[in-house]
Amino acid sequence: MQRERSWAGNRSRLPRVTTTDTGVDSLADVTSSEDRLRRFLLGLPGVDQVGAEARAAALSTRSIKTTAKAYALDLAIQMIDLTTLEGSDTPGKVRALCAKAKRPDPADPTAPQVAAVCVYPDLVATAKFELRGTGINVASVATAFPSGRSSLAIKQQDTRDAVAAGADEVDMVIDRGAFLSGRYGLVFDEIAAIREAAGDTHLKVILETGELVTYDNVRRASWLAMLAGADFIKTSTGKVSPAATLPVTLVMLEAVRDYHEATGLHIGVKPAGGIRTAKDAIKYLVTVNETAGPDWLDPELFRFGASSLLNDLLMQRTKLATGNYPGPDYFTLD
Amino acid sequence: MVWRPTLPTDSTRLDVRKTYKLYIGGAFPRSESGRSYVVSNAKGKFLANASQASRKDARDAVVAARKAFGGWSTRTAYNRGQVLYRIAEVMEGRHEQFSSEVAASEGLSISKARAAVDASIDRWVWYAGWADKLAQVVGSSNPVAGPYFDFSLPEATGVVAVLAPQDSSLLGLTSVIAPAIVSGNTVVAVTSFERPLPAVTLGEVMATSDVPGGVVNLLTGSASEIGPWLASHLDVNAIDLAGILDPEEATALEAASADNLKRVRRPVQEDWTESPGLSRLTQYLELKTVWHPIGL
Amino acid sequence: MGRFEYAPAPESRAIVDIKSSYGLFINGAFTEATDGKPFKTVSPASEEVLAEVSEAGPADVDKAVRAARRAYEKVWGPMAGRDRAKYLYRIARLIQERSRELAVLESLDNGKPIRESRDVDLPLVAAHFFYYAGWADKLEYAGAGVDPRPLGVAAQVIPWNFPLMMLAWKIAPALAAGNTVILKPAETTPLTALAFAEICQQADLPPGVVNIITGAGRTGQALVEHEGVDKVAFTGSTAVGRAIAKSVAGTDKKVTLELGGKAANIVFEDAPIDQTIEGIVNGIFFNQGHVCCAGSRLLVQESVYDEVLARLKRRMGTLRVGDPLDKNTDIGAINSADQLARIRELSQVGEDEGSERWSPECELPTQGFWFPPTVFTGVSQAHRIAREEIFGPVLSVLTFRTPAEAVEKANNTPFGLSAGVWTEKGSRILWMANQLRAGVVWANTFNRFDPTSPFGGYKESGYGREGGRHGLEAYLAH
């Protein structure tokens, strides 16, 4: 009796490693199993914390004045997702926010409009009605925002409700518990399931970087979300501290840049929470400019999740135009 | 009224008297017990009512010191050195106030009091310069017999309770606080009972010298009353018994400190004018040794 | 949406007050030179004349040395360490107070970007004085014996690449240890040293403790060779370092030298790639590459060569070359016409030897001395651009396969000042650090300096260390 040689079986299973696939196809294999996905994510280059933070700090020293500042301020306003996500939100509150979105500066009708208004799913209809005909999008959080601790079925229904109410964009949260315990397949499958529930609606995937803690995790989660079908990757829910930081956003911009190199696809980035001043916003735009590149200087590919930022941008805009330091009484609270 | 040297003054002007309170967490509260006690000069004349700290004030001070420890011990050594130097700068500006308080408290002539203030300021400067040198003098890289990189580094131990000297109201006080905080420890100090006034002014200096709240906490009051509470406190890492004159009392405090194995500095007769050396600097340090393989 | 063009963001020149001419700072006062020929210092960004500066002739050098000797014997030598400390603390504080002014002056005279002089040079200058101030009254703990004595009078000659910072590295430890000094700044960058002389006056530093004499090679030589000098400290080219070492032979003079380098910046395949690119860029383009410890040879592991080069070139495309006083400038002017000529010459050699030259597109100003950031690929150890110090924004790229090969190539040079290692693996960092014959090894970082951290070279990069406890040794008798 001929003994089966063990290497005979092994030999017949050898796949081809080199391939002529390019673009998205070259990455198809990576998501074909949880094991492959894990190895891919863990094989991404590490991020040196000190180096990343030093780079962000260096970008923060750029001095943006005069014409460059005017450009940046207007662009930043157009990138805002004006947000209210409180338990105490009411239709009245949402109406006020929408009015602000349409006319941010009571004294200056030439001030640009914001990109979107961001609310909970049960207030989408109100926002949609207020913003009809303006071109300002309605973004809805979904998937048991902010914690994400609910069944997949509920998260899918949450998403469908938002879409049915007319949301143009959906901001979902990933399962951080699953991510931190290494169950990357579960995180991936959930994003894919929400992608499906959202249909053609624009999907932002919130990584909640404050809970991921390390930059290595942020890089891995960014890639995971993009591979699973995100249109945008977003830093935070704004409900956990730290929320968005410049170094975290830098790492995410590097990820979308590298993803673009690999696939030709443009994925957007949205830092959310903790960005309060025009000065901060400009630092982010400088970082976008010098990391991902000018393509991303566009509300289609970069957003700020913020509320009080808008008034500071308007105040700086006014100062540039008039030369005087303005005061908060001259801008509306929503 | 605080004694002042005889200077030509407009004798019809009434001065605004200073109030002496505790310094805890960067603020100046009165004792939660509401108590105060009379502070007299060396001749028995009334100087002021000082707050008399209670065990609850001590408890609050330890909380403040613990809260401040994380930030203070992780600042760069350079930054801590800068803060200590700033203390010296601000003290220099208040030289006259300190001198009159030390003279009144200790019954010294004004010129001897000024000399004590000079020495105190210079001592802050001396300690400021240690912040970024301790690791180089106390630490080491160790040539272990194997392919390992092995180094030892000093680290601050944590919250240090200090029972400040009873006699030397400023120089002695400086000499027990500065060496603890320069390496990153935070301090809860019970000041001299009979001579607390310069300590409060030192607290004011700290509050205006970029010293983060809670790094130094100054409790005017009785070391005999408060000492046992600090000695038995499980969240205090070390204790300096310099202000305890009675040997039996000191022994009891040392025994109480043993419960959580505090690092204890026993009281000895000290000449505060002598150069301090490394002893107090290294008293409140831990040493951490790290190994790492060397290989491809 | 359009491009984000950064508008000019100039730092104001109004903060500096440059005199039309300067004398020599000897014995606490500015005095006219007796037997030298004055010369001009220009802004390398515009070739504008900034000031006229005196040349110290032999008689002036002699006067300065005698002033330093008197101050040493009568005032500074006998002074308590505690008091020397207080003078140094005063100087440190004055530098902090006048930091912005000094940074602008440095950028004007040297050509380096204001962002670097403001954020790197000046903070280090102040920190050096603070650090060594603290040693002045603690010398018995420095590891040089229980009562270490100073050497006496120190002659100090410094280069043009970090004028004020090199001054701090020299003067702070010398004074802390109890020596007095005569310092000669480089002829193309005298202005911040002359401002420092003013600071010494503002600090009420006793006359003669610090003397600043300006001039070129002749002045430096006269100073170093003067019989009244106990100690010579020099930072500059290896060629001049050799000459100095020869000239002190047979004398009692102690010498420390900090000379040239051709550092290898070694990138392994598991390096944290984005931060590595920053480290490569910082390593060779910081300060226009006018850095003795610059990472001028990039050694890339072959397996990641393509990726590293592609990312490096993309990153170089965002570097801004221009007016040093513009806060957004990354790369300033080359310090002098001479230096520019040398960089151009060696770059031509690089091409002639067969390496491929690449620079991002950048518009260079018409006035002034400028060179774009440049990278040469296909370089091998035998090429001149892999062996000779270019001292400009020019990177030579070589490859390796194994750690041992990287070490071999990195060490295969007469220099030994610094090296960089990029890898996420700790044991390999330590193994490489052990093997590399370099006085400073940077792992996952580059061009980091601190007054507590000793700096200096192996082999022809010099001997002696500056910074840290060890930096005092150069100025103490032991």
Side-chain angles (χ1 to χ4, degrees), chain B residues 158-179:
Chain B
V159 173
V160 179
V162 172
L163 305 178
Q166 295 299 332
D167 52 353
S168 178
S169 61
L170 184 61
L171 181 57
L173 178 69
T174 292
S175 303
V176 295
I177 293 180

Side-chain angles (χ1 to χ4, degrees), chain C residues 131-160:
Chain C
Y131 177 75
Y132 280 109
W135 270 119
D137 54 1
K138 303 174 179 65
L139 292 177
E140 66 267 37
Y141 299 101
V146 297
D147 182 25
R149 303 297 307 146
L151 296 171
V153 171
Q156 306 180 317
V157 177
I158 57 173
W160 47 260

Side-chain angles (χ1 to χ4, degrees), chain B residues 23-27 61 63-72 75 83 186-187 203 206-217:
Chain B
Y23 175 57
I24 300 179
V63 169
R66 177 60 61 195
K67 193 159 161 220
F69 176 69
W72 183 241
R75 288 195 176 199
V83 171
T186 54
V187 160
M206 291 188 172
T208 53
S209 303
D210 297 327
V211 179
V215 170
V216 175
N217 303 276

